[in-house]
Amino acid sequence: MLHVLALTRPEAAGQRFIAAADEYVSYRRMAEILKEGLGDKASRVTLKELPNLAAKALALLLPDLRTQARYLGINTAVSAAKAKKLLGWEPRSAEESILDCANDMIRLKRV
């Protein structure tokens, strides 16, 4: 919806907008959301935490972990305040987005 607003509203011309929930969600919180929202479908999701240093070391051996490990310990919070103020856009909650994404991945047999 934000894309449509940005394309059709004159005040959006030449502007850039962040289409994201306004809340920062840690990997731990994502796991909790999946466990709470998916029940048995999230049986392989763990709430155990690996220290950042260990995760970064492991990423040297496992290429699939490199992207995520790069952001450990870094606040990656963003704000959609400009889109909300200028275009009246309201993002979905991070929880809703995470669960929708997970359900699509399950439906498409990606996990």
Side-chain angles (χ1 to χ4, degrees):
M1 184 64 181
L2 178 57
H3 298 92
V4 173
L5 291 171
L7 287 169
T8 59
R9 302 284 282 283
E11 61 269 36
Q15 301 287 324
R16 293 180 183 211
F17 299 95
I18 294 176
D22 278 337
E23 55 199 290
Y24 172 77
V25 180
S26 67
Y27 287 125
R28 168 67 185 219
R29 181 64 190 131
M30 282 186 218
E32 292 169 351
I33 290 168
L34 292 170
K35 286 289 220 187
E36 293 164 8
L38 296 178
D40 291 340
K41 291 189 275 185
S43 62
R44 293 179 53 203
V45 174
T46 183
L47 296 178
K48 295 178 184 173
E49 293 186 52
L50 185 64
N52 288 353
L53 185 60
K56 288 180 180 190
L58 198 54
L60 296 173
L61 303 172
L62 302 171
D64 290 347
L65 296 179
R66 287 185 187 146
T67 299
Q68 292 84 0
R70 189 175 307 141
Y71 295 103
L72 290 173
I74 297 173
N75 183 344
T76 57
V78 296
S79 172
K82 181 177 171 182
K84 293 167 78 173
K85 181 179 178 183
L86 195 63
L87 303 176
W89 178 72
E90 282 299 322
R92 298 183 325 159
S93 71
E95 182 174 325
E96 182 182 359
S97 295
I98 290 166
L99 291 174
D100 282 352
C101 181
N103 280 312
D104 281 347
M105 291 175 73
I106 292 167
R107 181 180 54 81
L108 295 169
K109 297 181 178 17
R110 300 285 187 210
V111 291

